[in-house]
Amino acid sequence: IGGNTPTGAASTATVTLTTNEAAANVYLGYGNGDSGTLELGSNTLTVSGTIDLGFGGGTGSIVEGSGGSFTAGALNINGSNSYSFGANDAVGSLGLSSGASATTIAAGNVTGSVFISGKSTFNMGADITLTGSLAVQDSGSVLNMNGHSLAATFLYLGSFGSSPITIENRGSISASYLNVGNGMSFSLLSTDSVKNFNLYGGASSTLGGSVSVSTLSLAGGSTATTTETGNVTGSVFISGKSTFNMGADTTLTGSLAVQDSGSVLNMNGHSLAATFLYLGSFGSSPITIENRGSISASYLNVGNGMSLNLGSSDLASNLNVDSKATVTTSTLENVTENVNVTGGGVLNLGANLGLHGNLYVQDSGSTVNAHGYAITSNNLYAGWNGTSAVSVINTGAVEANNLYLGNGSALTLHGGDVVNDSINLKGGSTLTIQQVGGTGLTFNGATAASLSIDPSQLDLIFSLNSTPNWDFRWKDPSGGGTWVNTIDSLITGGEIVITAPNGYTVEDSNGYTYIDGIPNAAVPEPSGIVMLSLGTFGLLGIMAARRRRTP
């Protein structure tokens, strides 16, 4: 109505309804300079598709008489056109662009979505509940709430386009997802109800005392500040040089993740508890933690070259150290279940490490430096996975149910250490047992398969004149017998290599099969002595004697 299509159409036209009508789409003022008016009178117009006012620069208007109304799938208002809804008008979606404006009068005027752009204005004359979204973008675009409430699944306030928008006479908002962007400063009210709050492009917000959101996401240099413990309850995501300021202790049922250089977690001395805590483990660079308080997490993940010292009040059930990050413990309670050191990460122990689960160390450069502290775990994997050797060094007392060593890795255990169930060595790895105080490694494997050396080796290093004088003992099978023949076979095959100043014996005593050293004072029987040469020097070397005896 009022346009240049089809050829010969009147550029200015008015259509008056004399009865109820229906149409697929209605265009009023179709084209630059064209003008179209639709007078409904007291009649009803039903449009299954779109009503468009001022398409392509034209002027369009709808005039309602007493009792007149329309329903449409969508109403689009363009340019300088405007429309004030009647009480019975209803559209699924409303679009305003290029300086357009619309004013509602009833809650049901718009039910689906509203899109406001290009310096357009949406005036709310009643509370609105949308099943879809409301989006406002571009400088000069205005959402005038006139004190009314707004509910939608998605609210986009300046998060599209490239500039902030204006909100006037704000009422309460309710949204599953509230997205604020482009440098806007937007604070939530005590009457607001927001599940997921997302800030983009330098936006900022302070969450007041009675405000609570499930998820907070900060990106592109945004900033959020909490004031109370319950301001965020689910998860927090911080990226792209954004900052999260904790104004109170924070407890999250989900995760807190900080990534990207320049991103900041400012704890302001408060405590942080989360199921998952990712500190620089995403992205490609370390992040910044300021004014640190205590942290508690079921899963603590540290990556990308981060350095984190765990204090006496820091607790993690599971610790993952990745991508050349470094974590240093200070108490036994810092980590209790599982530790995974990978990607060149480093774990420094400042106290004993007692794990109910497993210690994994894999990938080149990955290191656990025990600094003389004890390690206890269910399974100890050193270089077993991945493709390269790892380092587990400076261990104190070690006890594990199962020990796995692979990919050319080397591990030194000492007298007093215990492996309860199995020892598995592969890929050219070396397990060295250094005798201390006359004792060595106690192994309690139940079957011959419990000790697997393929192809690797077990090195036994005896001290001089130790008393007692054993470096490896294997608990005898529960059904009877000994491991003498099994150990002899491993020695003969080169899987067990023994360095003993005066020789050694393989013998069974008090429920264990021992590899014993022979002290200086002992003179072994001639038939039990094996003389070994030391290279081309022709010097007398290690005397090795195997004697078998039963208790």
Side-chain angles (χ1 to χ4, degrees):
I1 302 173
N4 52 22
T5 299
T7 301
S11 61
T12 299
T14 298
V15 171
T16 301
L17 298 189
T18 59
T19 186
N20 296 337
E21 292 287 354
N25 300 286
V26 174
Y27 298 89
L28 298 168
Y30 190 88
N32 189 26
D34 298 328
S35 176
T37 301
L38 176 63
E39 295 182 348
L40 301 181
S42 60
N43 302 294
T44 299
L45 173 65
T46 302
V47 178
S48 59
T50 301
I51 298 176
D52 202 302
L53 304 185
F55 181 86
T59 299
S61 60
I62 299 174
V63 180
E64 294 182 352
S66 177
S69 67
F70 70 88
T71 61
L75 173 62
N76 295 328
I77 307 175
N78 310 288
S80 59
N81 291 277
S82 64
Y83 182 72
S84 294
F85 282 82
N88 296 317
D89 294 337
V91 298
S93 65
L94 172 65
L96 307 175
S97 63
S98 303
S101 65
T103 302
T104 62
I105 191 174
N109 286 151
V110 187
T111 57
S113 298
V114 176
F115 301 94
I116 308 161
S117 65
K119 298 184 179 182
S120 297
T121 299
F122 180 49
N123 295 298
M124 291 172 51
D127 296 344
I128 291 181
T129 298
L130 303 174
T131 58
S133 60
L134 183 142
V136 193
Q137 72 180 59
D138 305 330
S139 177
S141 293
V142 178
L143 170 63
N144 189 341
M145 298 180 68
N146 290 301
H148 295 292
S149 65
L150 170 63
T153 303
F154 298 90
L155 282 180
Y156 300 95
L157 303 179
S159 55
F160 297 134
S162 58
S163 52
I165 55 95
T166 300
I167 301 176
E168 297 177 350
N169 306 308
R170 173 134 123 68
S172 65
I173 61 173
S174 176
S176 296
Y177 298 88
L178 171 60
N179 306 275
V180 179
N182 286 307
M184 284 194 61
S185 177
F186 187 88
S187 295
L188 296 177
L189 306 175
S190 60
T191 53
D192 295 333
S193 176
V194 174
K195 185 175 181 181
N196 303 284
F197 189 22
N198 305 313
L199 300 174
Y200 306 91
S204 62
S205 180
T206 297
L207 284 71
S210 56
V211 169
S212 179
V213 300
S214 176
T215 300
L216 175 65
S217 179
L218 309 175
S222 297
T223 301
T225 302
T226 62
T227 59
E228 300 290 339
T229 295
N231 287 152
V232 187
T233 58
S235 297
V236 176
F237 302 97
I238 308 160
S239 65
K241 298 184 179 181
S242 297
T243 299
F244 179 49
N245 293 304
M246 291 171 50
D249 296 343
T250 299
T251 299
L252 303 173
T253 58
S255 60
L256 184 142
V258 194
Q259 71 179 62
D260 304 330
S261 176
S263 294
V264 178
L265 170 63
N266 189 340
M267 298 180 68
N268 290 301
H270 297 293
S271 65
L272 171 63
T275 302
F276 297 90
L277 189 54
Y278 300 95
L279 302 179
S281 53
F282 297 133
S284 58
S285 51
I287 55 94
T288 300
I289 302 176
E290 297 177 349
N291 306 308
R292 184 145 106 64
S294 65
I295 59 175
S296 176
S298 296
Y299 297 88
L300 172 60
N301 305 272
V302 185
N304 284 306
M306 283 282 299
S307 180
L308 181 68
N309 295 328
L310 297 178
S312 59
S313 58
D314 295 327
L315 305 173
S317 298
N318 302 277
L319 172 65
N320 184 57
V321 186
D322 194 7
S323 303
K324 298 183 179 180
T326 299
V327 173
T328 302
T329 66
S330 62
T331 69
L332 177 67
E333 291 77 18
N334 283 149
V335 189
T336 56
E337 293 297 328
N338 299 284
V339 171
N340 183 32
V341 183
T342 184
V346 176
L347 174 63
N348 290 308
L349 297 187
N352 294 337
L353 180 66
L355 302 177
H356 300 296
N358 306 316
L359 173 60
Y360 297 91
V361 191
Q362 67 184 49
D363 302 330
S364 177
S366 297
T367 301
V368 173
N369 190 337
H371 293 284
Y373 291 103
I375 296 176
T376 303
S377 67
N378 179 32
N379 299 305
L380 197 165
Y381 297 89
W384 187 259
N385 299 316
T387 59
S388 51
V390 301
S391 298
V392 179
I393 58 176
N394 302 318
T395 59
V398 174
E399 181 172 357
N401 290 331
N402 300 285
L403 172 62
Y404 300 87
L405 194 64
N407 285 304
S409 299
L411 173 65
T412 297
L413 299 181
H414 305 87
D417 292 347
V418 178
V419 177
N420 289 312
D421 297 327
S422 68
I423 296 174
N424 297 273
L425 311 178
K426 70 175 183 179
S429 299
T430 301
L431 174 62
T432 299
I433 312 301
Q434 178 67 58
Q435 189 185 48
V436 176
T439 66
L441 176 68
T442 297
F443 179 50
N444 297 318
T447 67
S450 300
L451 179 59
S452 174
I453 309 175
D454 181 30
S456 297
Q457 70 182 37
L458 175 63
D459 283 354
L460 305 182
I461 309 296
F462 283 83
S463 301
L464 183 63
N465 289 329
S466 298
T467 303
N469 194 19
W470 60 272
D471 200 28
F472 181 83
R473 66 176 183 178
W474 189 348
K475 187 176 181 180
D476 290 338
S478 58
T482 74
W483 299 113
V484 170
N485 290 336
T486 301
I487 290 176
D488 277 345
S489 177
L490 291 171
I491 294 172
T492 300
E495 287 93 351
I496 295 180
V497 177
I498 301 172
T499 302
N502 302 298
Y504 63 88
T505 65
V506 179
E507 55 190 8
D508 191 83
S509 176
N510 297 320
Y512 286 89
T513 301
Y514 287 83
I515 300 179
D516 284 325
I518 300 173
N520 276 340
V523 181
E525 298 89 338
S527 60
I529 299 177
V530 179
M531 305 299 292
L532 303 178
S533 172
L534 293 180
T536 58
F537 294 96
L539 300 177
L540 180 62
I542 300 171
M543 294 190 298
R546 298 190 186 95
R547 291 180 291 178
R548 299 172 178 81
R549 65 180 182 227
T550 56

